[in-house]
Short mmCIF file of all heavy atoms in Angstrom, two decimals:
data_model
loop_
_atom_site.label_atom_id
_atom_site.label_comp_id
_atom_site.label_asym_id
_atom_site.label_seq_id
_atom_site.Cartn_x
_atom_site.Cartn_y
_atom_site.Cartn_z
N GLY A 29 17.75 -18.77 -16.35
CA GLY A 29 19.05 -19.06 -16.99
C GLY A 29 20.24 -18.22 -16.58
O GLY A 29 21.36 -18.70 -16.75
N VAL A 30 19.93 -17.21 -15.81
CA VAL A 30 21.03 -16.39 -15.17
C VAL A 30 21.18 -16.79 -13.67
O VAL A 30 20.45 -16.32 -12.81
CB VAL A 30 20.67 -14.89 -15.29
CG1 VAL A 30 21.84 -14.03 -14.72
CG2 VAL A 30 20.39 -14.49 -16.70
N LEU A 31 22.15 -17.67 -13.49
CA LEU A 31 22.33 -18.26 -12.11
C LEU A 31 23.34 -17.41 -11.37
O LEU A 31 24.43 -17.17 -11.79
CB LEU A 31 22.82 -19.74 -12.35
CG LEU A 31 22.07 -20.62 -13.19
CD1 LEU A 31 22.69 -22.12 -13.12
CD2 LEU A 31 20.61 -20.63 -12.79
N ALA A 32 22.89 -17.10 -10.19
CA ALA A 32 23.81 -16.28 -9.24
C ALA A 32 24.91 -17.23 -8.70
O ALA A 32 24.58 -18.34 -8.29
CB ALA A 32 22.94 -15.75 -8.06
N SER A 33 26.12 -16.78 -8.75
CA SER A 33 27.25 -17.51 -8.32
C SER A 33 27.34 -17.55 -6.75
O SER A 33 27.53 -18.51 -6.05
CB SER A 33 28.47 -17.18 -8.91
OG SER A 33 28.74 -15.77 -8.65
N ASP A 34 27.25 -16.33 -6.26
CA ASP A 34 27.41 -16.07 -4.76
C ASP A 34 26.32 -15.35 -4.17
O ASP A 34 25.83 -14.25 -4.85
CB ASP A 34 28.75 -15.35 -4.50
CG ASP A 34 29.92 -16.19 -4.86
OD1 ASP A 34 30.04 -17.39 -4.47
OD2 ASP A 34 30.78 -15.71 -5.62
N LEU A 35 25.81 -15.65 -3.07
CA LEU A 35 24.78 -14.91 -2.39
C LEU A 35 25.31 -14.47 -0.95
O LEU A 35 26.06 -15.25 -0.31
CB LEU A 35 23.53 -15.81 -2.12
CG LEU A 35 22.44 -15.76 -3.23
CD1 LEU A 35 23.05 -16.54 -4.43
CD2 LEU A 35 21.28 -16.58 -2.79
N GLU A 36 24.90 -13.35 -0.54
CA GLU A 36 25.26 -12.81 0.82
C GLU A 36 24.37 -13.35 1.85
O GLU A 36 23.14 -13.37 1.64
CB GLU A 36 25.38 -11.26 0.79
CG GLU A 36 25.74 -10.73 2.16
CD GLU A 36 25.68 -9.15 2.11
OE1 GLU A 36 26.46 -8.48 1.50
OE2 GLU A 36 24.67 -8.68 2.70
N ASP A 37 24.95 -13.85 2.94
CA ASP A 37 24.04 -14.33 4.07
C ASP A 37 23.48 -13.08 4.76
O ASP A 37 24.20 -12.43 5.40
CB ASP A 37 24.88 -15.18 4.92
CG ASP A 37 24.05 -16.01 5.93
OD1 ASP A 37 22.82 -15.93 5.74
OD2 ASP A 37 24.62 -16.66 6.78
N PRO A 38 22.17 -12.96 4.81
CA PRO A 38 21.56 -11.74 5.39
C PRO A 38 21.66 -11.84 6.90
O PRO A 38 21.70 -12.87 7.48
CB PRO A 38 20.15 -11.70 4.91
CG PRO A 38 19.78 -13.27 4.66
CD PRO A 38 21.15 -13.81 4.17
N LYS A 39 21.59 -10.60 7.56
CA LYS A 39 21.72 -10.53 8.99
C LYS A 39 20.34 -10.77 9.70
O LYS A 39 20.30 -11.25 10.85
CB LYS A 39 22.28 -9.21 9.45
CG LYS A 39 23.66 -8.95 8.92
CD LYS A 39 24.31 -7.71 9.47
CE LYS A 39 25.66 -7.46 8.95
NZ LYS A 39 26.60 -8.49 9.28
N LEU A 40 19.26 -10.42 9.08
CA LEU A 40 17.85 -10.70 9.62
C LEU A 40 17.63 -10.20 10.99
O LEU A 40 17.34 -10.88 11.92
CB LEU A 40 17.59 -12.32 9.53
CG LEU A 40 17.89 -12.98 8.20
CD1 LEU A 40 17.69 -14.44 8.42
CD2 LEU A 40 16.90 -12.42 7.23
N PRO A 41 17.77 -8.87 11.13
CA PRO A 41 17.63 -8.22 12.48
C PRO A 41 16.11 -8.31 12.91
O PRO A 41 15.92 -8.23 14.21
CB PRO A 41 17.99 -6.77 12.23
CG PRO A 41 17.71 -6.49 10.74
CD PRO A 41 18.07 -7.80 10.03
N ASN A 42 15.13 -8.51 12.04
CA ASN A 42 13.85 -8.56 12.56
C ASN A 42 13.40 -9.88 13.20
O ASN A 42 12.24 -10.07 13.69
CB ASN A 42 12.80 -8.32 11.37
CG ASN A 42 12.88 -6.93 10.88
OD1 ASN A 42 13.19 -6.04 11.66
ND2 ASN A 42 12.61 -6.77 9.58
N ASN A 43 14.27 -10.88 13.33
CA ASN A 43 14.01 -12.20 13.75
C ASN A 43 13.76 -12.13 15.25
O ASN A 43 13.24 -13.10 15.82
CB ASN A 43 15.08 -13.14 13.44
CG ASN A 43 14.97 -13.69 12.00
OD1 ASN A 43 14.15 -13.18 11.26
ND2 ASN A 43 15.71 -14.71 11.70
N ASN A 44 14.09 -11.03 15.93
CA ASN A 44 13.83 -11.02 17.36
C ASN A 44 12.61 -10.18 17.78
O ASN A 44 12.41 -9.83 18.89
CB ASN A 44 15.12 -10.29 18.09
CG ASN A 44 16.33 -11.14 17.96
OD1 ASN A 44 16.30 -12.46 18.13
ND2 ASN A 44 17.51 -10.57 17.63
N THR A 45 11.80 -9.93 16.72
CA THR A 45 10.54 -9.05 16.87
C THR A 45 9.67 -9.67 17.84
O THR A 45 9.39 -10.87 17.87
CB THR A 45 9.87 -8.90 15.57
OG1 THR A 45 10.81 -8.20 14.64
CG2 THR A 45 8.60 -8.10 15.68
N LYS A 46 9.12 -8.86 18.73
CA LYS A 46 8.10 -9.36 19.71
C LYS A 46 6.68 -9.06 19.08
O LYS A 46 6.41 -7.89 18.54
CB LYS A 46 8.13 -8.50 20.99
CG LYS A 46 7.12 -8.94 22.01
CD LYS A 46 7.20 -8.18 23.31
CE LYS A 46 6.06 -8.52 24.26
NZ LYS A 46 6.20 -7.78 25.54
N LEU A 47 5.78 -10.05 19.01
CA LEU A 47 4.50 -9.98 18.32
C LEU A 47 3.35 -9.94 19.22
O LEU A 47 3.52 -10.39 20.41
CB LEU A 47 4.38 -11.13 17.42
CG LEU A 47 5.51 -11.24 16.31
CD1 LEU A 47 5.26 -12.59 15.49
CD2 LEU A 47 5.39 -10.19 15.32
N PRO A 48 2.28 -9.32 18.77
CA PRO A 48 1.04 -9.35 19.62
C PRO A 48 0.47 -10.76 19.79
O PRO A 48 0.78 -11.68 19.09
CB PRO A 48 0.09 -8.44 18.97
CG PRO A 48 0.62 -8.39 17.56
CD PRO A 48 2.02 -8.58 17.62
N GLU A 49 -0.52 -10.90 20.80
CA GLU A 49 -1.10 -12.12 20.91
C GLU A 49 -2.09 -12.38 19.73
O GLU A 49 -2.60 -11.54 19.09
CB GLU A 49 -1.86 -12.21 22.21
CG GLU A 49 -1.06 -12.11 23.48
CD GLU A 49 -0.08 -13.23 23.53
OE1 GLU A 49 -0.55 -14.39 23.23
OE2 GLU A 49 1.06 -13.12 24.08
N TYR A 50 -2.46 -13.60 19.49
CA TYR A 50 -3.33 -14.22 18.43
C TYR A 50 -4.70 -13.34 18.63
O TYR A 50 -5.14 -12.91 17.49
CB TYR A 50 -3.53 -15.59 18.49
CG TYR A 50 -4.49 -16.11 17.52
CD1 TYR A 50 -4.24 -16.26 16.18
CD2 TYR A 50 -5.77 -16.47 17.99
CE1 TYR A 50 -5.14 -16.73 15.37
CE2 TYR A 50 -6.75 -17.07 17.14
CZ TYR A 50 -6.38 -17.18 15.78
OH TYR A 50 -7.32 -17.61 14.88
N GLU A 51 -5.26 -13.35 19.73
CA GLU A 51 -6.63 -12.72 19.86
C GLU A 51 -6.62 -11.26 19.50
O GLU A 51 -7.66 -10.73 19.04
CB GLU A 51 -7.13 -12.95 21.31
CG GLU A 51 -7.44 -14.39 21.64
CD GLU A 51 -6.17 -15.21 21.92
OE1 GLU A 51 -5.08 -14.65 22.04
OE2 GLU A 51 -6.28 -16.41 21.87
N THR A 52 -5.43 -10.56 19.76
CA THR A 52 -5.34 -9.16 19.43
C THR A 52 -5.08 -8.99 17.89
O THR A 52 -5.65 -8.06 17.27
CB THR A 52 -4.24 -8.49 20.17
OG1 THR A 52 -4.49 -8.64 21.63
CG2 THR A 52 -4.06 -7.04 19.77
N LEU A 53 -4.30 -9.84 17.41
CA LEU A 53 -3.92 -9.67 15.91
C LEU A 53 -4.97 -10.14 14.99
O LEU A 53 -5.12 -9.61 13.87
CB LEU A 53 -2.61 -10.49 15.77
CG LEU A 53 -1.85 -10.21 14.54
CD1 LEU A 53 -1.49 -8.74 14.31
CD2 LEU A 53 -0.59 -11.02 14.45
N LEU A 54 -5.83 -11.13 15.35
CA LEU A 54 -6.78 -11.72 14.35
C LEU A 54 -7.74 -10.70 13.70
O LEU A 54 -7.85 -10.58 12.60
CB LEU A 54 -7.54 -12.83 15.08
CG LEU A 54 -8.61 -13.58 14.06
CD1 LEU A 54 -7.99 -14.08 12.80
CD2 LEU A 54 -9.28 -14.61 14.85
N PRO A 55 -8.45 -9.90 14.60
CA PRO A 55 -9.42 -8.98 13.80
C PRO A 55 -8.72 -7.96 13.05
O PRO A 55 -9.21 -7.47 12.07
CB PRO A 55 -10.15 -8.27 15.03
CG PRO A 55 -9.31 -8.58 16.26
CD PRO A 55 -8.61 -9.86 15.99
N TRP A 56 -7.55 -7.53 13.47
CA TRP A 56 -6.75 -6.56 12.67
C TRP A 56 -6.26 -7.12 11.40
O TRP A 56 -6.30 -6.42 10.32
CB TRP A 56 -5.58 -6.06 13.49
CG TRP A 56 -4.73 -4.90 13.03
CD1 TRP A 56 -5.08 -3.59 13.13
CD2 TRP A 56 -3.45 -4.94 12.37
NE1 TRP A 56 -4.20 -2.79 12.59
CE2 TRP A 56 -3.16 -3.54 12.01
CE3 TRP A 56 -2.63 -5.91 11.96
CZ2 TRP A 56 -1.98 -3.23 11.42
CZ3 TRP A 56 -1.42 -5.60 11.26
CH2 TRP A 56 -1.11 -4.21 11.06
N VAL A 57 -5.91 -8.32 11.36
CA VAL A 57 -5.43 -9.04 10.20
C VAL A 57 -6.59 -9.20 9.19
O VAL A 57 -6.51 -8.94 7.99
CB VAL A 57 -4.73 -10.39 10.51
CG1 VAL A 57 -4.63 -11.18 9.16
CG2 VAL A 57 -3.37 -10.16 11.10
N LEU A 58 -7.81 -9.65 9.74
CA LEU A 58 -8.89 -9.80 8.93
C LEU A 58 -9.31 -8.47 8.30
O LEU A 58 -9.99 -8.52 7.10
CB LEU A 58 -10.08 -10.45 9.72
CG LEU A 58 -9.95 -11.82 10.15
CD1 LEU A 58 -11.04 -12.17 11.15
CD2 LEU A 58 -9.89 -12.78 9.01
N ALA A 59 -9.08 -7.36 8.87
CA ALA A 59 -9.48 -6.10 8.41
C ALA A 59 -8.58 -5.58 7.33
O ALA A 59 -8.92 -4.78 6.48
CB ALA A 59 -9.58 -5.07 9.51
N HIS A 60 -7.28 -6.14 7.26
CA HIS A 60 -6.26 -5.63 6.37
C HIS A 60 -5.81 -6.60 5.33
O HIS A 60 -5.09 -6.22 4.42
CB HIS A 60 -5.15 -5.10 7.08
CG HIS A 60 -5.46 -3.82 8.00
ND1 HIS A 60 -5.78 -3.98 9.34
CD2 HIS A 60 -5.46 -2.50 7.69
CE1 HIS A 60 -6.07 -2.79 9.75
NE2 HIS A 60 -5.85 -1.90 8.88
N ASN A 61 -6.21 -7.89 5.58
CA ASN A 61 -5.65 -8.95 4.65
C ASN A 61 -6.05 -8.56 3.23
O ASN A 61 -7.23 -8.34 2.88
CB ASN A 61 -6.18 -10.27 5.10
CG ASN A 61 -5.69 -11.43 4.16
OD1 ASN A 61 -6.42 -11.71 3.24
ND2 ASN A 61 -4.57 -11.98 4.44
N ARG A 62 -5.16 -8.70 2.30
CA ARG A 62 -5.45 -8.26 0.91
C ARG A 62 -6.46 -9.15 0.15
O ARG A 62 -7.34 -8.73 -0.52
CB ARG A 62 -4.20 -8.17 0.06
CG ARG A 62 -3.20 -7.11 0.56
CD ARG A 62 -2.07 -6.84 -0.45
NE ARG A 62 -1.03 -6.13 0.13
CZ ARG A 62 -0.88 -4.86 0.53
NH1 ARG A 62 -2.01 -4.09 0.32
NH2 ARG A 62 0.17 -4.31 0.99
N ARG A 63 -6.32 -10.44 0.43
CA ARG A 63 -7.27 -11.45 -0.23
C ARG A 63 -8.63 -11.21 0.34
O ARG A 63 -9.68 -11.31 -0.37
CB ARG A 63 -6.80 -12.84 0.01
CG ARG A 63 -5.55 -13.10 -0.69
CD ARG A 63 -5.10 -14.60 -0.58
NE ARG A 63 -3.93 -14.80 -1.35
CZ ARG A 63 -3.23 -16.01 -1.44
NH1 ARG A 63 -3.87 -17.12 -0.88
NH2 ARG A 63 -2.19 -16.12 -2.15
N MET A 64 -8.70 -10.84 1.63
CA MET A 64 -10.10 -10.57 2.27
C MET A 64 -10.59 -9.34 1.61
O MET A 64 -11.87 -9.22 1.33
CB MET A 64 -9.98 -10.47 3.75
CG MET A 64 -11.33 -10.21 4.38
SD MET A 64 -12.54 -11.50 4.01
CE MET A 64 -11.94 -12.82 5.05
N LEU A 65 -9.81 -8.30 1.41
CA LEU A 65 -10.27 -7.03 0.76
C LEU A 65 -10.71 -7.25 -0.64
O LEU A 65 -11.78 -6.74 -1.02
CB LEU A 65 -9.07 -6.02 0.81
CG LEU A 65 -8.68 -5.47 2.14
CD1 LEU A 65 -7.53 -4.61 2.00
CD2 LEU A 65 -9.83 -4.78 2.81
N VAL A 66 -9.99 -8.15 -1.30
CA VAL A 66 -10.47 -8.53 -2.66
C VAL A 66 -11.84 -9.18 -2.69
O VAL A 66 -12.74 -8.78 -3.49
CB VAL A 66 -9.45 -9.51 -3.28
CG1 VAL A 66 -10.06 -10.10 -4.61
CG2 VAL A 66 -8.15 -8.85 -3.58
N GLN A 67 -12.05 -10.09 -1.71
CA GLN A 67 -13.37 -10.76 -1.59
C GLN A 67 -14.45 -9.81 -1.31
O GLN A 67 -15.55 -9.81 -1.82
CB GLN A 67 -13.22 -11.86 -0.61
CG GLN A 67 -14.28 -13.03 -0.77
CD GLN A 67 -14.07 -13.81 -1.95
OE1 GLN A 67 -12.99 -13.85 -2.58
NE2 GLN A 67 -14.96 -14.65 -2.32
N GLN A 68 -14.19 -8.87 -0.41
CA GLN A 68 -15.22 -7.88 0.01
C GLN A 68 -15.51 -6.94 -1.20
O GLN A 68 -16.70 -6.59 -1.34
CB GLN A 68 -14.64 -7.08 1.16
CG GLN A 68 -14.59 -7.92 2.48
CD GLN A 68 -13.92 -7.14 3.62
OE1 GLN A 68 -13.28 -6.11 3.35
NE2 GLN A 68 -13.98 -7.67 4.81
N GLN A 69 -14.52 -6.62 -1.98
CA GLN A 69 -14.79 -5.71 -3.10
C GLN A 69 -15.62 -6.53 -4.17
O GLN A 69 -16.50 -5.94 -4.81
CB GLN A 69 -13.51 -5.26 -3.70
CG GLN A 69 -12.72 -4.30 -2.89
CD GLN A 69 -13.40 -2.85 -2.73
OE1 GLN A 69 -14.31 -2.54 -3.53
NE2 GLN A 69 -13.14 -2.14 -1.81
N LEU A 70 -15.34 -7.78 -4.37
CA LEU A 70 -16.15 -8.58 -5.29
C LEU A 70 -17.59 -8.71 -4.80
O LEU A 70 -18.56 -8.67 -5.66
CB LEU A 70 -15.51 -10.02 -5.47
CG LEU A 70 -14.14 -9.98 -6.16
CD1 LEU A 70 -13.55 -11.42 -6.26
CD2 LEU A 70 -14.21 -9.42 -7.58
N LEU A 71 -17.71 -8.89 -3.50
CA LEU A 71 -19.14 -8.87 -2.94
C LEU A 71 -19.79 -7.54 -3.17
O LEU A 71 -21.02 -7.55 -3.62
CB LEU A 71 -19.13 -9.25 -1.46
CG LEU A 71 -18.89 -10.65 -1.08
CD1 LEU A 71 -18.52 -10.84 0.45
CD2 LEU A 71 -20.15 -11.55 -1.38
N ALA A 72 -19.15 -6.47 -3.01
CA ALA A 72 -19.77 -5.12 -3.21
C ALA A 72 -20.15 -5.01 -4.71
O ALA A 72 -21.19 -4.43 -5.07
CB ALA A 72 -18.84 -4.08 -2.79
#
């Protein structure tokens, strides 16, 4: 019910970020993904 009248348009400086390749990132993401950590703890 509290509607914002004006919003500032953000600058978004991270939009030019250079990212690693998929093959490099996948095992790292699987090791740190929170939902995967939840599942591993439930298995334990």
